[in-house]
Amino acid sequence: MKTRGWRTVAGWSLASTAALVAGCGDDSPSALDPSGPSASRVAGLWWLMLVLATLVAVAVLGFIGVALVRGRGTEGGRPSRITDNGFILVGGIAVPVVILAVLAVATVVVTNDITDEADDPLIVEVTGERWWWRVGYPEQEIDTANELHVPVGRPVEVRLESDNVVHSFWIPQLAPKVDLIPGQPNRIIFTASAAGTYRGQCAEFCGIQHANMNFVVVADEPADFDRWVEDHRSEPATARGESEFRSSACAGCHTVEGVTTGDRGPDLTDFGSRQTIAAGALPNTPENLRRWITDPHSVKPGSLMPPVPLTDDEVDAIVDYLDGGR
Ligand code: CUA
């Protein structure tokens, strides 16, 4: 019976380890796979901590092994008293103080370096909403949501705010997490060193849909970034479905530049170019968009987006309009 208990424990441990490792697939952004100077410095700190923690673990396990083998010993028929105060002073106080001091200095130095002023940064304003990201580029006069485009090689200064609860902005491969705290503007500076799509995630529990508060950062070559800015700012041609969108309840909450001016939900200008719907809850396909519009709470329970009363034809027209006829 006892052996079976241990086998069950071992089985579960193996299974959960396998599940953890499987979670680290290609799709999962890792802070140990940095793609910019800020994230590289943070990864360096992680490795320093791992090395120190390993040394401590090996030393402690070694002492436990020695104690097990040697036993406590006796003095005049009684268990001997512990009298080696020097060992406790060195191993229990001096060594931990040195290790923690090294980590504290390294952390402060790295934090200072990666929050230093940058030359000519691209300014992006990010506001944490429940449960999505409002994104603005004040110089380029672009408003969007849940997807940042940044040029490779240019520092990006993200100004972070929230007017509701605390969120945390984290792009593991590009920058450490920074909280968005109501009444306390924060910022983070990072540079992407390679073109690509980087996953970001809200890293502070912020309510029922915290887990579905994702975003992506698309690092473009500078020419591609300029093209994205141009595409975004160009006046949209009147498209099929525009009048349905304009006269639906959607218009009350969502802006499409030059068409509607709602402000409660994400700006939907150029929505068709985005990779996901509802802050990463679903890939952006016409079928998923239809499901999101007709039954948002089946996708994201607790979302502030209400189901919109529309006929099938109206939904078709609006899906067509938003996804740009994809
Ligand atoms: Cu926003 Cu968690």
Side-chain angles (χ1 to χ4, degrees):
M1 204 55 204
K2 215 171 173 186
T3 0
R4 226 170 101 198
W6 277 109
R7 268 195 211 140
T8 314
V9 170
W12 276 108
S13 310
L14 268 177
S16 48
T17 309
L20 271 178
V21 173
C24 304
D26 286 346
D27 206 27
S28 174
S30 169
L32 300 181
D33 179 22
S35 201
S38 301
S40 295
R41 297 291 302 275
V42 175
L45 267 186
W46 190 93
W47 285 110
L48 173 66
M49 284 182 189
L50 179 71
V51 168
L52 292 176
T54 305
L55 291 176
V56 170
V58 167
V60 170
L61 290 173
F63 284 128
I64 291 175
V66 169
L68 283 174
V69 171
R70 198 178 64 173
R72 190 169 174 179
T74 50
E75 255 172 43
R78 292 180 177 177
S80 55
R81 289 166 53 208
I82 297 168
T83 51
D84 193 354
N85 287 336
F87 183 76
I88 292 171
L89 285 174
V90 173
I93 298 176
V95 172
V97 164
V98 170
I99 290 175
L100 293 177
V102 167
L103 287 178
V105 170
T107 304
V108 170
V109 168
V110 168
T111 307
N112 267 338
D113 287 356
I114 65 179
T115 47
D116 258 358
E117 296 285 336
D119 281 341
D120 184 32
L122 170 73
I123 307 288
V124 185
E125 294 170 344
V126 171
T127 309
E129 304 284 352
R130 274 168 292 173
W131 288 272
W132 55 279
W133 304 89
R134 193 185 290 275
V135 178
Y137 294 73
E139 285 163 43
Q140 288 74 15
E141 297 181 348
I142 289 176
D143 290 307
T144 179
N146 302 326
E147 192 163 308
L148 281 74
H149 278 250
V150 302
V152 168
R154 181 175 171 192
V156 181
E157 178 177 329
V158 184
R159 297 181 178 165
L160 300 160
E161 287 192 41
S162 165
D163 65 359
N164 43 83
V165 295
V166 179
H167 304 273
S168 188
F169 183 83
W170 190 28
I171 323 155
Q173 290 170 277
L174 295 177
K177 60 185 85 157
V178 178
D179 285 356
L180 296 84
I181 303 166
Q184 163 67 58
N186 275 338
R187 59 173 199 157
I188 182 75
I189 295 172
F190 68 85
T191 307
S193 55
T197 300
Y198 301 96
R199 268 185 55 195
Q201 167 75 47
C202 181
E204 180 69 47
F205 181 72
C206 54
I208 187 170
Q209 285 299 336
H210 158 70
N212 276 324
M213 191 168 166
N214 306 304
F215 59 100
V216 289
V217 175
V218 182
D220 295 318
E221 295 299 342
D224 293 335
F225 176 75
D226 292 343
R227 200 168 311 130
W228 177 78
V229 170
E230 273 317 304
D231 283 354
H232 224 88
R233 289 160 73 182
S234 55
E235 281 292 311
T238 306
R240 209 148 66 88
E242 185 180 304
S243 64
E244 284 87 346
F245 180 78
R246 198 198 287 270
S247 57
S248 72
C250 313
C253 293
H254 296 281
T255 292
V256 169
E257 198 64 43
V259 179
T260 56
T261 55
D263 194 39
R264 279 175 54 106
D267 188 305
L268 298 178
T269 313
D270 214 6
F271 175 82
S273 75
R274 290 181 209 159
Q275 301 180 9
T276 69
I277 298 171
L282 293 171
N284 187 2
T285 64
E287 301 73 51
N288 286 339
L289 182 55
R290 165 175 271 281
R291 180 175 161 208
W292 173 242
I293 292 173
T294 51
D295 192 7
H297 293 169
S298 77
V299 176
K300 217 165 162 173
S303 160
L304 300 185
M305 162 110 165
V308 184
L310 293 165
T311 65
D312 277 358
D313 286 348
E314 285 167 337
V315 175
D316 285 343
I318 289 170
V319 168
D320 235 32
Y321 173 62
L322 289 175
D323 266 343
R326 293 195 317 164

